[in-house]
Amino acid sequence: MEVTVNHLGAVQFEIKARSHTILCDQPVAAGGFDEGMTPPELLLAALGSCAAYYAAEYLNRRQIASEGTKVRVTAEKAKNPARMEDFRIELESPAPLSEGDREGVIAAMHRCLIHNTLLHSPRIEITMATSV
């Protein structure tokens, strides 16, 4: 997997993955133009969309309505070091679920790649190159 991030100026960045492009920005109060999500919001979006995918996949396998499934993800900011913590994922199902299916959806969401990455700290290497 790979994404590229190009600085557009000010605090805006263009993010590309395969043939897709999104804009990352900051709110006006932080010197941005508020034309895209912030990096922490993108992280929450990645976690939420991954969890929603696994939930919908479970529901579809069980032939339970999945369209309209909503996931809300929240987290708190922490300091020393600056990071996000206390993530919370809330799923709203468009259909009533049995207790077994509620447990099944939650178990499916626990298999999310992003969820598991956050639970098991990955090794991150930072290198630098000059484009000249």
Side-chain angles (χ1 to χ4, degrees):
M1 283 183 252
E2 178 180 319
V3 300
T4 57
V5 180
N6 295 310
H7 186 222
L8 300 177
V11 291
Q12 287 189 322
F13 297 86
E14 176 186 72
I15 304 166
K16 292 186 176 189
R18 300 184 331 266
S19 62
H20 307 283
T21 302
I22 60 173
L23 186 67
C24 180
D25 198 1
Q26 294 291 319
V28 173
F33 301 99
D34 204 18
E35 295 177 344
M37 288 189 263
T38 64
E41 290 166 337
L42 289 170
L43 178 61
L44 294 179
L47 178 59
S49 58
C50 186
Y53 169 82
Y54 279 83
E57 186 180 66
Y58 173 89
L59 293 171
N60 291 333
R61 273 196 326 268
R62 305 279 298 184
Q63 299 180 344
I64 300 170
S66 65
E67 191 169 320
T69 298
K70 293 181 184 177
V71 171
R72 178 176 180 256
V73 183
T74 58
E76 300 298 322
K77 287 184 181 179
K79 296 180 180 179
N80 299 322
R83 66 194 184 286
M84 296 168 64
E85 66 178 10
D86 298 329
F87 288 80
R88 181 176 175 87
I89 303 171
E90 299 171 11
L91 178 114
E92 182 182 317
S93 173
L97 300 176
S98 69
E99 187 59 35
D101 283 327
R102 290 173 69 88
E103 291 173 5
V105 167
I106 290 170
M109 291 168 67
H110 277 283
R111 290 190 292 276
C112 160
L113 178 67
I114 307 302
H115 174 265
N116 286 320
T117 299
L118 292 171
L119 287 177
H120 304 280
S121 299
R123 182 177 44 83
I124 300 174
E125 178 183 347
I126 300 174
T127 63
M128 188 171 171
T130 303
S131 59
V132 180

